[in-house]
């Protein structure tokens, strides 16, 4: 995932870089109150376009191998949402995360690709640690993070995400890889 044409696949899913042409897909995701309930609230088109330009497209060049990617079904090519392996905003912590369109909830897609991103981050990028954050009441997402092998490490506050503490999960490469051999 170090070049624009690169992709990352799992059994049922494929990740690819967003392009400027994907704005409508991102707007659809970020304007859904069900999706954004625990992700900072609904974003309008202007805010989403700024995110696409600054936090997604520019980030690819600034941090090769990391980013936010469009997630699609391998069999159909249908977009199902996004997955990410990037910096927590305004911090050095590398996080794994996901947002899926509601019609794809409950299929194991968040877990499947998050686990693939953990392996990618540790084995291909050589990251020493990967973390994740969720709102405290978002127990479904916390369950996914535990399933992919992250461990709850209390609560942390990241100013870019508001004043409330967030559930913090983390795992180092050596212990994760020992528990999840290829």
């Amino acid at each position: 995932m170090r070049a624009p044409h690169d992709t990352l696949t799992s059994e049922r899913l494929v990740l690819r870089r967003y392009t400027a042409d994907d704005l409508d897909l991102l707007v659809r995701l970020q304007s859904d109150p069900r999706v954004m309930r625990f992700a900072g609230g609904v974003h309008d088109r202007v805010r989403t376009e700024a995110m696409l330009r600054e936090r997604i497209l520019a980030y690819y060049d600034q941090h090769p191998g990391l980013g936010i990617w469009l997630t699609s079904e391998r069999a159909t090519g249908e977009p199902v949402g996004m997955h990410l392996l990037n910096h927590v905003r305004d911090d050095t912590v590398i996080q794994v995360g996901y947002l899926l369109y509601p019609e794809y909830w409950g299929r194991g897609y968040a877990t499947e690709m998050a686990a693939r991103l953990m392996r990618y981050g540790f084995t291909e990028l050589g990251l020493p640690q990967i973390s994740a954050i969720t709102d405290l009441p978002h127990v479904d997402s916390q369950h996914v993070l535990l399933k992919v092998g992250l461990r709850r490490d209390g609560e942390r506050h990241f100013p870019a995400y508001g004043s409330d503490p967030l559930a913090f999960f983390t795992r180092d490469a050596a212990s994760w890889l020992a528990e999840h051999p290829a």
Side-chain angles (χ1 to χ4, degrees), residues 54 65 111 121 130 173:
E54 299 160 14
T111 304
I130 296 175

Side-chain angles (χ1 to χ4, degrees), residues 3-181:
H5 61 276
D6 289 348
T7 60
L8 188 68
T9 59
S10 64
E11 181 181 339
R12 301 176 294 162
L13 302 170
V14 61
L15 295 185
R16 70 157 173 83
R17 286 182 177 206
Y18 274 96
T19 70
D21 293 337
D22 295 318
L23 177 60
D24 288 340
L25 291 172
L26 196 57
V27 167
R28 182 177 143 221
L29 189 67
Q30 297 208 325
S31 65
D32 189 316
R34 297 165 296 174
V35 173
M36 299 303 290
R37 178 177 173 208
F38 297 113
V42 169
H43 297 176
D44 64 19
R45 187 176 188 87
V46 171
R47 185 173 175 189
T48 301
E49 187 171 17
M51 177 192 169
L52 177 62
R53 197 175 48 252
E54 299 160 14
R55 182 88 172 128
I56 298 177
L57 300 178
Y59 190 90
Y60 294 139
D61 293 328
Q62 295 165 0
H63 303 280
L66 298 175
I68 299 173
W69 301 284
L70 179 69
T71 309
S72 299
E73 289 180 319
R74 285 178 72 176
T76 66
E78 285 298 311
V80 302
M82 70 162 60
H83 276 77
L84 59 90
L85 187 64
N86 68 359
H87 291 87
V88 169
R89 263 186 295 152
D90 302 327
D91 205 285
T92 59
V93 171
I94 301 291
Q95 66 176 338
V96 66
Y98 38 80
L99 291 174
L100 301 178
Y101 298 116
E103 60 267 29
Y104 295 100
W105 292 354
R107 297 185 189 189
Y109 286 171
T111 304
E112 180 179 322
M113 188 51 80
R116 178 65 181 96
L117 281 168
M118 295 284 292
R119 181 164 308 285
Y120 165 75
F122 288 143
T123 62
E124 296 179 46
L125 298 182
L127 297 174
Q129 185 176 60
I130 296 175
S131 301
I133 54 176
T134 68
D135 283 3
L136 293 176
H138 197 356
V139 294
D140 290 339
S141 187
Q142 293 173 37
H143 181 69
V144 168
L145 297 174
L146 292 170
K147 283 173 53 176
V148 302
L150 288 162
R151 294 187 177 147
R152 177 77 185 260
D153 191 19
E155 299 173 5
R156 287 203 42 194
H157 177 258
F158 293 94
Y161 297 92
S163 59
D164 294 332
L166 299 167
F168 185 70
F169 296 76
T170 196
R171 196 66 188 271
D172 67 88
S175 67
W176 190 88
L177 290 168
E179 284 184 17
H180 300 87

